[in-house]
Amino acid sequence: MPATVVVGTQWGDEGKGKLTDLLAGEMDVVVRYQGGHNAGHRIVVAGEAFALQLVPSGVLYEHITPVIGNGVVIDPKVLLGEIDTLSAKGVDCSRLLVSGNAHLIMPYHQELDRLTERFLGKNALGTTKRGIGPAYADKAARVGLRVQDLLDPKIFREKLDMVLYEKNLVLSKVYNRLPMKAEEIAEAYLGVYAERIAPMISDTVTYLHDVLGVGKRILLEGAQATFLDLDHGTYPFVTSSNPVAGGAATGSGLGPRDLSRIVGIAKAYITRVGAGPFPTELEGETGDLLVERGHEFGTNTGRRRRVGWFDAVMARQAVRLNSLSEIAITKLDVLDTLEEIQVCVAYEAAGVRYAVPPYHQSTLHEVTPIYETLPGWGRDLSGYTRFEEMPVEARDYIAFLREQIGVPISVVGLGPEREQFVRP
Ligand code: GDP
Ligand code: IMO
Ligand code: MG
């Protein structure tokens, strides 16, 4: 039985947590394949909200085995804190498996993320300051510590001593900070973190291929999104991993042909947190309205999200980059009170019209969006359970997006609760 991927098609926070939770009802395993606790995936079930960062969103179901794949970077303290919070709410996390090849976020990663952002000043990326970029940089530089190193104190300590020597030079000589102590780091990581995480550490590649072989259904839950992708996003205003569907293979160990259904997810408008180009960005009253109605503040960081009109240029690119087989549109209800809604159907720059984003970032910064205006529906959509019964303007809006994007729309979200959606 081939696997399904859920991938964000914008700049994150499209509702991947909610969609994963929704689809997990018919899955057996849910895998996170990249990112770390920069993610914030919010799920609401019967009025109770869960904000997940590292634990896969399928965890709320007892029949699901949640897996943290090799492509994820893990801050053990955050992982354990999240497990404790979920357990206190009655969610059983005992089935969680963690790849031994996943990399560890270390205290110096977090410190360096903060310091480099400060150093960049007005050019700062607006990262989540969670140490994500520095941890992936060390992975690429082959000086990272991995989850499996927690099982071998001698190796862990050798690697830590080697890497910390260089980190401390940077911290003290470049940033004028106090050096960090290997002893203190080792005590925490090899102590309580190792003790509690050891039972979860597994060969997740073998596990995933074994379960796939006996016909179980696997869902791969992306974090971040297509335009935050290190290769395909608006570099350098991106994260340091590959959220695109191809990353689901490298980040889990499944082969590309194991991934058959790729579900993209987009808001009925668009948001972005942090710096970087944003062609359809809205300021003023309409922007404030979307922020307010959509509660557009970071799930974990609390930062106000920038908002804009739906951008079909980016959506078309996301279809290509991810081989999307379908797309879920979320938060249509947020547009309920608007008289008119705009959709960006193309960009224009220096007399050239673009149906997909221009490859040169300088051009992207200069484009003017070309909009089509659609009528609003002026009614509360949150209670609808059947697409056919929704106001014609809302159905036409979805039909217009479908035509612009070019792939079927399989789900439309009408509220944060698990049941608040319709199928066109
Ligand atoms: P993720 O990072 O992609 O999982 O998305 P977040 O959880 O960070 O942000 C999405 C927010 O929208 C969360 O607060 C969800 O509860 C909420 N949400 C998801 N789908 C819908 C929807 O269809 N309508 C409304 N109003 N809220 C939604
Ligand atoms: P989910 O999974 C929205 C953004 C940050 C910043 C850039 C780099 O909830 O959709 P990083 O800390 O990753 O080095 O920051 O990426 N970013 C997100 N924006 N949703 C996310 O995750 C994000 N994860 C990172 O705001 O602009
Ligand atoms: Mg989020």
Side-chain angles (χ1 to χ4, degrees):
M1 179 80 64
T4 301
V5 183
V6 166
V7 59
T9 64
Q10 300 171 327
W11 280 297
D13 304 324
E14 297 90 350
K16 297 174 290 294
K18 180 188 161 178
L19 184 67
T20 300
D21 172 73
L22 189 68
L23 296 175
E26 55 204 53
M27 298 286 161
D28 300 296
V29 178
V30 177
V31 190
R32 268 285 302 272
Y33 59 84
Q34 44 69 236
H37 67 299
N38 48 350
H41 295 184
R42 189 163 177 272
I43 306 169
V44 187
V45 184
E48 189 173 10
F50 300 85
L52 302 172
Q53 296 182 269
L54 278 165
V55 175
S57 296
V59 70
L60 302 186
Y61 293 96
E62 272 172 26
H63 70 274
I64 291 284
T65 304
V67 175
I68 297 183
N70 55 276
V72 176
V73 285
I74 301 173
D75 184 326
K77 188 174 177 198
V78 173
L79 176 63
L80 295 171
E82 192 173 334
I83 291 172
D84 291 344
T85 305
L86 284 166
S87 305
K89 288 186 166 191
V91 179
D92 175 15
C93 296
S94 64
R95 301 173 312 280
L96 180 66
L97 303 178
V98 179
S99 166
N101 286 2
H103 277 247
L104 292 168
I105 294 184
M106 307 294 290
Y108 44 83
H109 291 138
Q110 202 141 347
E111 178 75 351
L112 287 166
D113 199 351
R114 279 193 292 263
L115 290 167
T116 44
E117 278 287 274
R118 197 180 307 162
F119 176 76
L120 286 170
K122 68 174 179 39
N123 297 318
L125 308 180
T127 74
T128 58
K129 301 194 177 80
R130 305 271 156 93
I132 306 295
Y136 278 116
D138 276 2
K139 174 179 176 176
R142 294 154 298 180
V143 293
L145 276 87
R146 297 192 291 175
V147 167
Q148 59 179 282
D149 295 327
L150 294 173
L151 302 175
D152 191 332
K154 186 165 168 283
I155 295 274
F156 183 98
R157 195 53 210 259
E158 273 173 26
K159 287 187 179 180
L160 176 64
D161 286 345
M162 183 193 69
V163 71
L164 195 60
Y165 177 74
E166 189 256 352
K167 300 293 177 203
N168 276 338
L169 283 176
V170 174
L171 285 173
S172 58
K173 308 264 186 237
V174 179
Y175 294 110
N176 204 19
R177 297 275 133 173
L178 289 175
M180 292 190 171
K181 295 194 174 71
E183 198 55 54
E184 281 173 16
I185 297 174
E187 196 183 310
Y189 278 67
L190 294 173
V192 69
Y193 301 165
E195 192 183 306
R196 289 193 59 194
I197 292 174
M200 307 171 205
I201 304 176
S202 343
D203 174 359
T204 51
V205 173
T206 299
Y207 173 78
L208 292 176
H209 283 277
D210 283 352
V211 296
L212 208 59
V214 295
K216 301 241 176 174
R217 295 151 304 177
I218 299 178
L219 178 70
L220 296 127
E221 175 187 10
Q224 291 79 54
T226 303
F227 294 98
L228 288 172
D229 186 277
L230 182 59
D231 286 79
H232 299 289
T234 46
Y235 191 90
F237 304 101
V238 293
T239 192
S240 299
S241 66
N242 290 114
V244 293
T250 52
S252 69
L254 291 175
R257 284 192 292 128
D258 295 325
L259 316 177
S260 64
R261 182 180 170 205
I262 319 279
V263 187
I265 175 159
K267 283 181 196 179
Y269 49 102
I270 192 165
T271 63
R272 166 162 217 168
V273 205
F278 190 162
T280 67
E281 184 161 17
L282 268 169
E283 272 148 15
E285 251 176 57
T286 312
D288 291 345
L289 183 86
L290 293 183
V291 170
E292 191 191 315
R293 286 189 52 83
H295 305 290
E296 296 299 353
F297 295 91
T299 300
N300 291 305
T301 60
R303 291 185 292 171
R304 189 185 202 267
R305 297 173 182 149
R306 300 157 67 194
V307 296
W309 295 120
F310 187 88
D311 188 335
V313 178
M314 292 176 58
R316 279 180 217 119
Q317 181 78 332
V319 169
R320 307 198 300 184
L321 292 171
N322 297 294
S323 304
L324 293 188
S325 35
E326 64 199 85
I327 195 158
I329 300 289
T330 58
K331 302 187 102 165
L332 187 64
D333 55 297
V334 173
L335 307 181
D336 281 354
T337 58
L338 295 176
E339 265 171 42
E340 288 186 333
I341 305 164
Q342 294 195 291
V343 175
C344 169
V345 295
Y347 299 156
E348 200 176 74
V352 181
R353 190 180 165 105
Y354 294 90
V356 291
Y359 90 91
H360 205 294
Q361 189 101 348
S362 307
T363 316
L364 184 66
H365 279 273
E366 286 161 13
V367 296
T368 307
I370 300 171
Y371 290 111
E372 293 230 4
T373 304
L374 284 87
W377 42 91
R379 253 186 290 166
D380 175 5
L381 293 184
S382 65
Y384 283 91
T385 53
R386 289 168 65 88
F387 182 75
E388 309 77 64
E389 290 168 5
M390 293 196 330
V392 64
E393 296 87 352
R395 282 183 282 136
D396 284 351
Y397 183 72
I398 293 297
F400 186 74
L401 295 190
R402 194 252 178 268
E403 181 192 307
Q404 288 293 321
I405 304 167
V407 294
I409 293 173
S410 52
V411 173
V412 176
L414 302 176
E417 282 275 352
R418 192 182 260 173
E419 289 79 23
Q420 286 181 300
F421 72 93
V422 290
R423 293 192 191 276

